[in-house]
Amino acid sequence: MRNAGTALKDHWLDDQLHELKHFGPRKVLDEVNRLLRDHPSIEKLKQAVHYLQKREKMMQYPFFRAEGWPIGSGSAESANMHVVQSRMDGPGMHWEPRNVNPMLSLRTGECK
């Protein structure tokens, strides 16, 4: 936004990330919607706000943390690479769609 002519406070992003992590997405979505109302012609902002709006349920970080779930994507990406890709994505491998979930169930059980 700074390049688009809107001066955001230096700590704006840190404030939003703190709010999101500790209190959830509601106020963050309100804030980015306010920016969009103030600057409706900025296409990248419009895309970013719509991206966040569609993922509100995925940003319930206080609930996830209370349940003991990881909130970063690193563990999911690592699991995908070590559990899924190492078995399903080898050179020359092709899988029938109907066989993928059964194979992943077996693979997940083996890796526990």
Side-chain angles (χ1 to χ4, degrees), residues 17-108:
L17 294 174
H18 179 83
E19 180 71 27
L20 184 60
K21 182 177 182 180
H22 296 284
F23 303 103
R26 186 70 266 145
K27 286 186 179 179
V28 174
L29 290 172
D30 289 346
E31 173 64 10
V32 296
N33 278 311
R34 181 193 63 78
L35 288 174
L36 184 57
R37 281 191 309 275
D38 291 348
H39 307 281
S41 62
I42 301 173
E43 191 58 36
K44 284 189 176 186
L45 177 60
K46 195 179 301 183
Q47 291 170 357
V49 170
H50 290 141
Y51 177 89
L52 292 172
Q53 288 171 333
K54 287 192 284 187
R55 289 158 179 80
E56 182 175 2
K57 289 181 181 178
M58 295 181 229
M59 297 186 295
Q60 302 299 323
Y61 298 133
F63 171 78
F64 299 153
R65 292 175 70 218
E67 293 293 312
W69 300 346
I71 61 172
S73 63
S75 59
E77 291 174 16
S78 178
N80 183 56
M81 182 171 55
H82 293 290
V83 175
V84 177
Q85 288 182 355
S86 67
R87 177 61 184 99
M88 308 282 299
D89 196 22
M93 287 186 174
H94 302 284
W95 291 89
E96 288 289 326
R98 64 191 165 116
N99 296 330
V100 172
N101 283 341
M103 179 56 76
L104 289 178
S105 294
L106 292 171
R107 179 69 176 150
T108 301

